[in-house]
Amino acid sequence: GDSVTQMEGPVTLSEEAFLTINCTYTATGYPSLFWYVQYPGEGLQLLLKATKADDKGSNKGFEATYRKETTSFHLEKGSVQVSDSAVYFCALGNTGGFKTIFGAGTRLFVKA
Amino acid sequence: NAGVTQTPKFQVLKTGQSMTLQCAQDMNHNSMYWYRQDPGMGLRLIYYSASEGTTDKGEVPNGYNVSRLNKREFSLRLESAAPSQTSVYFCASVGTSYEQYFGPGTRLTVT
């Protein structure tokens, strides 16, 4: 069945470091891909999305490109801030049913 | 424009008590979902409603019931709470590109 695999955390970086969080997926159709962020004590927020191959989603300095050939949607940011400390979830939608499939989440800690 | 709202924010129940978690969205979305989030377990889908008047079971429906009262509101009921239902509960509504908009959550403790 459809699935999402993202890198395990926690990931600990210093401020201004480059961030990559890997996400790969398995899907039979043409899914939409998402990254969500969850700050402590809050609900998930949509960070960015891509609905077809080669689309690049971007928001708040974060980017991810929908790569069909490698079935990947890696999240990147050039210079992280302490305020980026959160849990990041990769997700698969529009898989032919009504469910969205979420990855397990990757916790990011950014040190000043 | 409030997005997705949930009440209450916190609740403590004794085993066997019942309660209803309320969720409302003002984005005119057709689909709405209920999830629970437990440490180390990620998000698990309890029930969903693809449109007004329809509801379906997700991965972990046992011990819960839902009502899609109208297009805006989707409630989750615990008829007889158990300690295993201690969790954070999130409601979400689904946009036109299948993106989900989450509420702030209800933190439930069952003693």
Side-chain angles (χ1 to χ4, degrees):
Chain A
D2 296 345
S3 66
V4 174
T5 303
Q6 60 181 106
M7 64 189 285
E8 287 188 29
V11 173
T12 302
L13 295 172
S14 297
E15 209 165 22
E16 299 184 3
F18 186 86
L19 168 71
T20 300
I21 300 178
N22 291 335
C23 172
T24 57
Y25 68 91
T26 303
T28 51
Y30 300 93
S32 298
L33 299 174
F34 308 94
W35 277 101
Y36 291 86
V37 59
Q38 185 177 30
Y39 299 102
E42 298 184 10
L44 280 71
Q45 302 173 24
L46 178 66
L47 181 58
L48 52 84
K49 68 181 181 186
T51 57
K52 62 183 188 299
D54 300 324
D55 269 1
K56 178 185 279 190
S58 61
N59 187 24
K60 299 182 182 179
F62 291 89
E63 293 182 341
T65 301
Y66 189 160
R67 302 277 188 210
K68 195 168 189 303
E69 64 277 12
T70 54
T71 61
S72 65
F73 193 55
H74 305 322
L75 182 68
E76 296 182 334
K77 187 176 186 184
S79 177
V80 293
Q81 306 300 311
V82 172
S83 57
D84 294 326
S85 297
V87 181
Y88 293 82
F89 293 88
C90 184
L92 199 66
N94 187 22
T95 57
F98 287 100
K99 281 180 60 176
T100 291
I101 298 170
F102 287 88
T106 301
R107 185 173 296 276
L108 170 66
F109 292 106
V110 181
K111 303 180 296 185
Chain B
N1 188 341
V4 179
T5 57
Q6 291 184 238
T7 55
K9 285 189 167 46
F10 300 94
Q11 184 71 49
V12 179
L13 293 178
K14 294 187 189 310
T15 297
Q17 288 184 318
S18 63
M19 78 163 294
T20 299
L21 283 64
Q22 306 287 355
C23 173
Q25 53 96 3
D26 63 2
M27 294 173 282
N28 203 36
H29 291 158
N30 287 319
S31 299
M32 297 181 72
Y33 290 41
W34 275 106
Y35 294 93
R36 58 179 290 173
Q37 185 178 38
D38 303 296
M41 298 292 288
L43 283 170
R44 291 187 290 172
L45 182 65
I46 305 171
Y47 270 93
Y48 66 96
S49 170
S51 61
E52 184 180 354
T54 69
T55 60
D56 284 287
K57 296 178 181 179
E59 303 168 64
V60 289
N62 291 346
Y64 305 94
N65 285 301
V66 290
S67 295
R68 183 72 183 270
L69 304 168
N70 47 55
K71 194 169 187 180
R72 287 188 65 245
E73 298 171 289
F74 187 36
S75 62
L76 178 72
R77 182 160 178 84
L78 286 70
E79 291 290 352
S80 178
S84 60
Q85 294 178 304
T86 292
S87 188
V88 183
Y89 291 85
F90 291 104
C91 176
S93 70
V94 185
T96 54
S97 298
Y98 301 90
E99 74 279 15
Q100 297 197 15
Y101 298 89
F102 286 80
T106 294
R107 283 146 186 82
L108 175 67
T109 302
V110 183
T111 61

